[in-house]
Amino acid sequence: QPIKNGFQLVDNTPKVVMKVYKTTNPSIYLAVKENLNGVAIQKDNQWYFEYYEKETLMSEKITVKF
């Protein structure tokens, strides 16, 4: 669902699970999921949510349909 400067990603409920905000690169979005801040990036036609947890880079594959 479009929002100002990006999109909110919803599940089937529909519950908002993540908000993503546009950057100058269409394959990279700033992302907020619950209390986590990171980036949503497209690599090899797949989307990933990447963030740091206790100084460790985490990468979580996500399903995105625009």
Side-chain angles (χ1 to χ4, degrees):
Q1 297 174 336
I3 58 172
K4 184 177 182 179
N5 299 322
F7 300 92
Q8 59 184 18
L9 307 181
V10 296
D11 61 13
N12 293 335
T13 311
K15 174 188 167 198
V16 175
V17 293
M18 183 182 296
K19 289 186 179 181
V20 295
Y21 300 93
K22 295 177 184 176
T23 67
T24 57
N25 185 329
S27 296
I28 301 173
Y29 288 81
L30 301 176
V32 179
K33 180 181 178 185
E34 298 169 359
N35 62 338
L36 300 172
N37 293 308
V39 292
I41 61 172
Q42 186 178 33
K43 296 188 286 189
D44 301 322
N45 293 321
Q46 298 289 325
W47 284 94
Y48 296 87
F49 175 53
E50 294 189 349
Y51 59 95
Y52 276 92
E53 185 174 285
K54 297 182 182 176
E55 298 186 23
T56 301
L57 179 63
M58 308 298 286
S59 185
E60 174 184 321
K61 188 174 176 182
I62 57 175
T63 301
V64 177
K65 296 177 187 174
F66 285 106

